[in-house]
Amino acid sequence: MSDPTLDRIERELQLLNVNLAEANDIATMVAFPKMPADLDNDSRNALRMLREKIMERARARVKA
């Protein structure tokens, strides 16, 4: 394959990866719209950190 073809394939794969990451973030937020009441403190902290990371990525995508 030629270099331009490989470059296009690489760009498409990068875009697909970004789209999958965004879809995963959205699915996570939909699955946990509110903090479940029955979580222990460690799980609650882990979910809070995950949500914060998802929001940071969302803000970065908006700025880009």
Side-chain angles (χ1 to χ4, degrees):
M1 282 190 245
S2 67
D3 284 342
T5 301
L6 292 174
D7 289 343
R8 282 196 312 271
I9 292 170
E10 182 179 9
R11 281 193 304 272
E12 287 298 321
L13 289 173
Q14 288 172 346
L15 182 59
L16 179 63
N17 189 38
V18 168
N19 289 340
L20 288 173
E22 188 171 344
N24 186 48
D25 288 351
I26 292 168
T28 300
M29 294 303 280
V30 169
F32 298 103
K34 294 182 180 178
M35 191 70 71
D38 59 342
L39 287 180
D40 59 58
N41 284 338
D42 290 340
S43 297
R44 189 175 291 277
N45 288 336
L47 183 55
R48 184 176 298 113
M49 288 172 40
L50 176 63
R51 292 174 112 189
E52 287 172 6
K53 183 171 249 178
I54 288 170
M55 292 308 294
E56 286 175 20
R57 286 193 297 250
R59 286 186 200 101
R61 281 191 297 270
V62 168
K63 290 180 182 179

